Amino acid sequence: MKLGIWLDAVRHERPLVHNITNLVVNNIAANALLCVGASPVMAYAHEEVGEMAGIAKALSLNMGTLTPEVVTSMRIAGRAANAAGVPIVFDPVGVGATGYRTQVATDLLRAVDVSILRANAGEMSVLLGLAGQVKGVDALQADEALPAAMKHYALSSGTVVVATGPVDLVTDGHTTWQLSNGHPLLAAITGSGCMLTALLGAFVGVVPKESPLSTYAEACVAAITSYNVAAEQAAQKADGPGTFQAALFDCLYDLESGAVDAAANVEVAPA
Ligand code: ATP
Ligand code: TZP
Ligand code: MG
Ligand code: MG
């Protein structure tokens, strides 16, 4: 699978990505999008989110710091995106940590047609009804049945399902990919998953409309691998988490599509 062409497409098309994300990561998610060549916008007001989602190339929804107002913003934006055929990425941050988060995630997935569901492996296990564990927003434990449950969910809902961690899993229900790029320093900074959720918006934002789910899955594999290869490069330059975060932006900005393909560690999982 050629992945670098997706990064080139993002740089060429500069997709507008509408983010409804959390108070912790608004700035770094916007910067990550700018670094790969996308156009970020953060918009929350009920009065404008429908209009903004309708003109965006992708809508990225993130549950990190929920309030009832933000939940309503997500619903309005989600419905408008669905009506306009704009793909939605959903990150159920902290699902399972509180009853409220679990309720909001479940309700949103019923109310809105999500194209990409991304969570850490603990959150994904909880969301899919398995024995996962989360501590606040951090993954503690995934269930060994997670790959099968992700496949089942992908097939039944027509969603690309992405569970991240030291090894990332991406499935469209037919094929599951195991991605092994990245660096442990990603787990030492806040928002590394949330930045990825924003970047998934940029990459699915350049998928031609009416494409099959497998094309969206390919764009997700490219987004994750691009990000994780940039993280590997950043770790070489960094002295610790602080310099790593700055180097991650620099490396995303300088990332070459050829370097993504050369460093990609992507395997199709056995059926
Ligand atoms: P958590 O809060 O549990 O860290 P998260 O939502 O931040 O969850 P992660 O699962 O940490 O999300 O994934 C964020 C990014 O970091 C992904 O690109 C993933 O591949 C990468 N990553 C996380 N941990 C590692 C690791 N130990 N080695 C390599 N890459 C990692
Ligand atoms: N608290 C609420 S949202 C958030 C924290 C610490 C950021 C979570 O970021 P990530 O990418 O899921 O680690
Ligand atoms: Mg994290
Ligand atoms: Mg997260």
Side-chain angles (χ1 to χ4, degrees), residues 8-253:
D8 291 336
V10 170
R11 294 228 168 94
H12 180 69
E13 295 182 35
R14 307 191 73 79
L16 178 67
V17 182
H18 177 192
N19 302 270
I20 298 180
T21 184
N22 65 68
L23 292 169
V24 182
V25 306
N26 269 298
N27 176 277
I28 57 175
N31 273 320
L33 283 165
L34 282 174
C35 287
V36 295
S39 235
V41 62
M42 279 53 186
Y44 292 87
H46 299 169
E47 289 79 359
E48 69 165 354
V49 286
E51 195 180 346
M52 190 67 82
I55 58 170
K57 294 291 185 207
L59 172 66
S60 181
L61 302 176
N62 177 309
M63 281 194 355
T65 48
L66 287 178
T67 64
E69 289 73 19
V70 168
V71 174
T72 303
S73 299
M74 289 187 187
R75 276 176 171 259
I76 298 170
R79 289 208 182 101
N82 283 167
V86 172
I88 300 176
V89 183
F90 178 47
D91 186 340
V93 179
V95 68
T98 64
Y100 182 54
R101 283 174 193 258
T102 304
Q103 191 64 51
V104 168
T106 310
D107 289 350
L108 198 78
L109 285 169
R110 283 204 191 106
V112 167
D113 190 4
V114 164
S115 297
I116 316 295
L117 177 63
R118 191 220 68 94
N120 65 48
E123 291 162 344
M124 190 63 80
S125 298
V126 171
L127 190 61
L128 300 185
L130 304 173
Q133 279 181 13
V134 296
K135 180 182 180 189
V137 299
D138 293 329
L140 277 188
Q141 207 182 323
D143 192 298
E144 59 184 26
L146 182 59
M150 287 170 60
K151 240 168 113 170
H152 183 262
Y153 187 85
L155 281 179
S156 60
S157 63
T159 306
V160 176
V161 184
V162 177
T164 55
V167 175
D168 311 299
L169 297 176
V170 177
T171 188
D172 61 6
H174 297 285
T175 308
T176 299
W177 292 268
Q178 283 177 348
L179 319 183
S180 305
N181 292 105
H183 194 279
L185 275 171
L186 283 165
I189 60 168
T190 192
S192 61
C194 301
M195 283 192 277
L196 175 60
T197 295
L199 292 183
L200 286 166
F203 281 68
V204 301
V206 299
V207 172
K209 281 197 175 177
E210 315 296 342
S211 293
L213 201 62
S214 57
T215 308
Y216 285 90
E218 204 177 303
C220 291
V221 172
I224 299 162
T225 303
S226 299
Y227 179 64
N228 279 341
V229 169
E232 289 169 7
Q233 295 174 349
Q236 298 297 316
K237 299 186 182 186
D239 297 319
T243 44
F244 173 72
Q245 195 206 61
L248 181 57
F249 291 136
D250 293 344
C251 292
L252 282 171
Y253 184 77

